[in-house]
């Protein structure tokens, strides 16, 4: 089978699930599409290394999750740099005192910010647990770690957020 | 399906279609497919485009089915989808014997006019009844074309939905079937068209 057909087969069979997974991790459709393409290209390059009978689906999930983690890490570095610039700009011109009042749902925004501020692996594990409602074994398969490590990540995240998750 | 779930499915499908366009250059309308891997007659592969169901057939496994779709529809993205739930539901109902008729949009536009006519005639044979190749050919407008009618039925893209298994030889023997004769026998017996004792 030629290159295009192999990539097309992976997309046909696993595309929808991977796209849903990536979209939930990065919360941005364009980024999710880039990461999906990235995942398939990487998978295609490594396809010969995947032994017969191996779990293709779990393997693709792992590649996709790593791509998303790398993206989030990079994004966080960029955000820090931006915040740094914003801070410098603010101290130069003074704070914005225009005052349009408070956000409509301050608490939700605050919680979202705290989730966004969690270490990546905790944030991903928490997202998979709460938004995707996955079992720890499934979270582990998608993150390429053990179920215990997945549970520990979710536990640490919830402890930080003091959020009740069943 | 809730509005939220539908919106999510659309967004996710857009992501997959975008990736298809970028990676494979396939631009045409998407083909959605589903696999039913636990039917009494084996594994079935279903596919549908915008105009409706365009394939129901017996397949070896999901990979083989997907590879065939990708080869057959070289310009179209192919993806697994839950959008075929309705067709799956009607087929499951059929296999349970609760309801033997189908109410689905079927796309036969890829066929020649005669082949299409043969399948339209065949679609009107009710469950529990059978017809001969000669009868179907006559109803399709050409009484001497029973062999051509057989060929048209062999090319039936939507097995079971268009019940080509209800067409037999004039001597009462089963004739042929794309899914194999045991499947044809099973379907006819399931519909009550042949008594178990006769087989």
């Amino acid at each position: 089978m030629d290159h295009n057909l192999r990539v097309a087969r992976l997309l046909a069979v696993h595309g929808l699930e991977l796209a849903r997974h990536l979209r939930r991790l990065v919360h941005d459709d364009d980024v999710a599409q880039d990461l999906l393409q990235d995942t398939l290209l990487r998978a295609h390059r490594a396809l010969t290394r995947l032994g017969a009978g191996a779990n293709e689906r779990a393997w693709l999930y792992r590649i996709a999750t790593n791509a998303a983690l790398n993206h989030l890490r990079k994004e966080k570095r960029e955000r820090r740099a931006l915040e740094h610039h914003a801070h410098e700009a603010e101290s130069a011109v003074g704070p914005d005192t225009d005052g349009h009042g408070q956000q409509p749902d301050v608490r939700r925004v605050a919680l979202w910010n705290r989730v966004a501020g969690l270490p990546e692996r905790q944030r991903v594990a928490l997202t998979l647990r709460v938004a995707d409602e996955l079992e720890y074994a499934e979270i582990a398969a998608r993150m390429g770690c053990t179920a215990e490590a997945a549970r520990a990540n979710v536990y640490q995240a919830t402890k930080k957020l003091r959020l009740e998750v069943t | 399906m809730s509005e939220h779930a539908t919106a999510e499915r659309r967004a996710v499908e857009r992501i997959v279609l975008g990736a298809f366009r970028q990676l494979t250059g396939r631009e045409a309308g998407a083909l959605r497919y589903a696999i039913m891997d636990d039917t009494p007659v084996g594994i079935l592969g279903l596919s549908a485009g915008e105009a409706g169901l365009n394939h129901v057939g017996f397949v070896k496994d999901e990979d083989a089915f997907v590879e065939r779709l990708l080869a057959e529809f070289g310009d179209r993205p192919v993806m697994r989808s839950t959008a075929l739930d309705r067709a799956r539901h009607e087929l499951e109902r059929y296999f349970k014997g609760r309801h033997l008729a189908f109410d689905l949009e079927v796309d036969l536009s890829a066929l020649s006019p005669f082949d299409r006519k043969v399948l339209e005639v065949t679609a009107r044979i009710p469950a529990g009844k059978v017809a001969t190749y000669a009868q179907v050919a006559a109803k399709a407008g050409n009484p001497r074309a029973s062999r051509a009618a057989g060929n048209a039925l062999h090319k039936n893209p939507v097995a079971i939905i268009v019940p080509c298994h209800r067409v037999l030889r004039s001597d009462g023997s089963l004739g042929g079937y794309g899914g194999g004769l045991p499947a044809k026998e099973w379907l006819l017996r399931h519909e009550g068209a042949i008594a178990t004792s006769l087989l």
Side-chain angles (χ1 to χ4, degrees), chain A residues 5-78:
Chain A
L5 273 184
R6 277 192 193 169
V7 172
R9 188 187 65 77
L10 291 177
L11 259 174
V13 178
H14 305 286
L16 230 48
E17 250 187 309
L18 291 173
R20 188 174 296 122
H21 175 59
L22 287 166
R23 190 171 177 264
R24 284 186 182 163
L25 291 181
V26 299
H27 301 285
D28 183 311
D29 288 2
D30 292 334
V31 173
Q33 188 190 313
D34 287 346
L35 292 174
L36 178 62
Q37 287 167 215
D38 210 35
T39 299
L40 286 158
L41 288 176
R42 279 176 208 216
H44 177 254
R45 277 199 295 272
L47 207 54
T48 47
R49 287 206 300 275
L50 185 73
N55 187 342
E56 189 178 81
R57 182 169 166 267
W59 175 70
L60 283 166
Y61 259 108
R62 196 140 61 226
I63 298 175
T65 306
N66 282 335
L69 287 174
N70 282 337
H71 167 81
L72 293 171
R73 228 168 266 147
K74 206 175 112 213
E75 191 188 51
K76 195 173 179 187
R77 272 205 305 276
E78 281 166 4

Side-chain angles (χ1 to χ4, degrees), chain B:
Chain B
M1 192 182 285
S2 75
E3 227 167 84
H4 174 75
T6 309
E8 196 202 13
R9 199 187 76 206
R10 288 215 186 96
V12 170
E13 288 197 350
R14 265 198 302 275
I15 292 171
V16 177
L17 287 176
F20 249 106
R21 207 165 42 240
Q22 294 287 326
L23 291 171
T24 67
R26 287 169 180 252
E27 297 264 4
L31 209 58
R32 290 167 176 77
Y33 79 86
I35 294 285
M36 294 178 70
D37 51 14
D38 198 21
T39 84
V41 290
I43 307 173
L44 290 182
L46 284 58
S47 74
E50 296 302 325
L53 209 57
N54 57 17
H55 187 89
V56 174
F58 300 87
V59 298
K60 191 172 122 261
D61 56 26
E62 179 170 2
D63 278 354
F65 182 52
V66 169
E67 278 165 27
R68 204 173 91 200
L69 290 175
L70 286 167
E72 202 172 317
F73 301 92
D75 58 341
R76 301 176 71 167
V78 173
M79 63 181 158
R80 187 197 265 174
S81 176
T82 51
L84 283 103
D85 279 354
R86 169 105 186 270
R88 276 162 57 166
H89 172 72
E90 290 203 10
L91 279 163
E92 271 161 20
R93 209 171 53 171
Y94 169 88
F95 286 124
K96 283 181 186 149
R98 268 194 235 128
H99 196 89
L100 298 173
F102 296 98
D103 181 21
L104 296 165
E105 291 288 323
V106 173
D107 178 13
L108 299 177
S109 61
L111 300 175
S112 75
F114 178 75
D115 289 357
R116 196 158 51 233
K117 185 84 188 129
V118 167
L119 293 184
E120 281 163 9
V121 168
T122 305
R124 291 201 288 270
I125 308 169
K129 295 276 193 308
V130 291
T132 65
Y133 291 107
Q135 286 170 333
V136 168
K139 284 233 165 147
N142 190 347
R144 284 178 303 170
S146 59
R147 185 172 292 271
N151 286 337
L153 290 166
H154 185 66
K155 284 183 277 182
N156 176 18
V158 283
I160 302 171
I161 310 291
V162 169
C164 55
H165 57 277
R166 291 177 199 152
V167 186
L168 311 176
R169 287 224 189 98
S170 300
D171 64 5
S173 66
L174 284 176
Y177 196 58
L181 287 181
K184 189 167 185 172
E185 272 182 36
W186 189 93
L187 294 167
L188 289 171
R189 203 180 294 169
H190 179 62
E191 296 171 356
I194 30 180
T196 314
S197 59
L198 289 179
L199 288 165

